[in-house]
Amino acid sequence: MIELRDLKKEYIEQETSTLALQGVTFSIKKGEFVSIMGPSGSGKSTLLHILSFLDRPTGGEYTFLGKSIDEMDDHELAHVRNKAMGFVFQSFNLLSRLTVYDNVEIPLLYSDLPANERARHITEAVRSVGLEEKLHTEAGRLSGGQKQRVAIARALVADPDVIFADEPTGNLDSKSGLQVMEILDGLHKKGRTIILVTHETQTAEFANRIIFIRDGVVESDKPVEKHGPVKTLK
């Protein structure tokens, strides 16, 4: 699904050059659950922005679903991003005065789905995160954990090829964080491709593979050794 070859990203500011990514190479297959870790300033956020089409590399090659992003203009990148990618953010990015239903509907607003099909997709997505009883509740009235579950439903509703989760437990207590990770784990077990960016080791270990980034390069890329279910998140 995703293939990076010698990917580079250079930022130039006031004649000063900074290499945020210095030749990153790896691939991610359909159905994988991969965590990307690294200290602050390691390049993991830059990498996520490129993977999710929010930015372009300045060197190397990025192929998504068999097509190089060099072959896509900005309009096509935006189209693929809206259709093939779902997003879960640390800060939820919900509209507080809209209901759960209306927030989850947002990715479908420009689709050509008829109204009854759209409603079915929204209801199924909300049900999949266990919040059907909150369907018509304003998002601002929900707890942090519930807001993140709504964000997962919104990421799912358009049936994307890959879900990007950027520090999804960062603003949650341990119990809510565990619930969110169990939902993502369940989606992976149903065949979803998930790419998680986190600084928390216990959160990262829900994945089957951890890619560790430091100083703009891949320091390690290893499978996760499973030792039974994770019961707490510290």
Side-chain angles (χ1 to χ4, degrees):
M1 174 178 286
I2 287 172
E3 187 168 2
L4 308 182
R5 292 184 181 276
D6 197 30
L7 199 76
K8 296 181 177 69
K9 179 63 180 182
E10 181 181 20
Y11 294 102
I12 299 177
E13 185 175 350
Q14 295 181 348
E15 299 183 359
T16 300
S17 172
T18 302
L19 263 179
L21 297 176
Q22 303 189 50
V24 172
T25 298
F26 62 77
S27 60
I28 296 174
K29 296 178 181 177
K30 181 177 175 60
E32 278 198 276
F33 188 170
V34 178
S35 288
I36 298 174
M37 296 190 72
S40 178
S42 61
K44 64 182 186 297
S45 295
T46 298
L47 178 59
L48 177 66
H49 288 162
I50 292 173
L51 289 174
S52 58
F53 291 4
L54 288 173
D55 200 357
R56 289 181 181 266
T58 51
E61 186 174 355
Y62 172 20
T63 301
F64 181 75
L65 293 176
K67 187 170 183 178
S68 172
I69 68 168
D70 291 338
E71 300 173 9
M72 305 184 211
D73 60 22
D74 290 345
H75 177 77
E76 187 173 0
L77 285 179
H79 175 75
V80 174
R81 184 174 186 268
N82 290 337
K83 184 177 178 59
M85 299 176 178
F87 298 89
V88 182
F89 303 96
Q90 179 177 348
S91 56
F92 319 131
N93 287 11
L94 301 179
L95 297 176
S96 296
R97 295 192 176 184
L98 294 186
T99 64
V100 168
Y101 183 100
D102 291 336
N103 271 283
V104 174
E105 185 182 25
I106 288 172
L108 300 179
L109 290 178
Y110 298 103
S111 74
D112 54 4
L113 282 175
N116 62 329
E117 276 294 294
R118 184 181 298 182
R120 182 177 65 82
H121 280 265
I122 295 165
T123 303
E124 286 181 358
V126 174
R127 184 181 296 121
S128 73
V129 298
L131 285 178
E132 55 267 40
E133 77 282 0
K134 301 289 187 181
L135 194 63
H136 300 294
T137 301
E138 287 185 0
R141 298 179 179 273
L142 302 178
S143 69
Q146 289 171 332
K147 288 176 181 177
Q148 197 59 294
R149 286 153 67 186
V150 173
I152 293 172
R154 182 184 57 194
L156 282 172
V157 73
D159 194 27
D161 292 288
V162 57
I163 294 174
F164 292 99
D166 186 8
E167 300 282 5
T169 62
N171 283 337
L172 304 179
D173 59 57
S174 59
K175 181 180 178 181
S176 298
L178 178 59
Q179 290 174 339
V180 164
M181 291 312 302
E182 286 175 340
I183 290 171
L184 290 175
D185 186 48
L187 292 172
H188 166 245
K189 288 175 179 174
K190 292 178 181 177
R192 295 278 178 178
T193 306
I194 299 174
I195 299 175
L196 168 73
V197 173
T198 182
H199 67 278
E200 299 168 339
T201 300
Q202 285 180 296
T203 299
E205 288 177 347
F206 274 85
N208 296 113
R209 174 181 165 202
I210 297 176
I211 299 172
F212 195 90
I213 306 287
R214 189 187 299 276
D215 296 330
V217 298
V218 175
E219 187 173 88
S220 64
D221 183 349
K222 298 178 180 179
V224 175
E225 294 184 14
K226 301 291 184 177
H227 302 289
V230 179
K231 295 182 180 179
T232 61
L233 286 178
K234 295 181 181 178

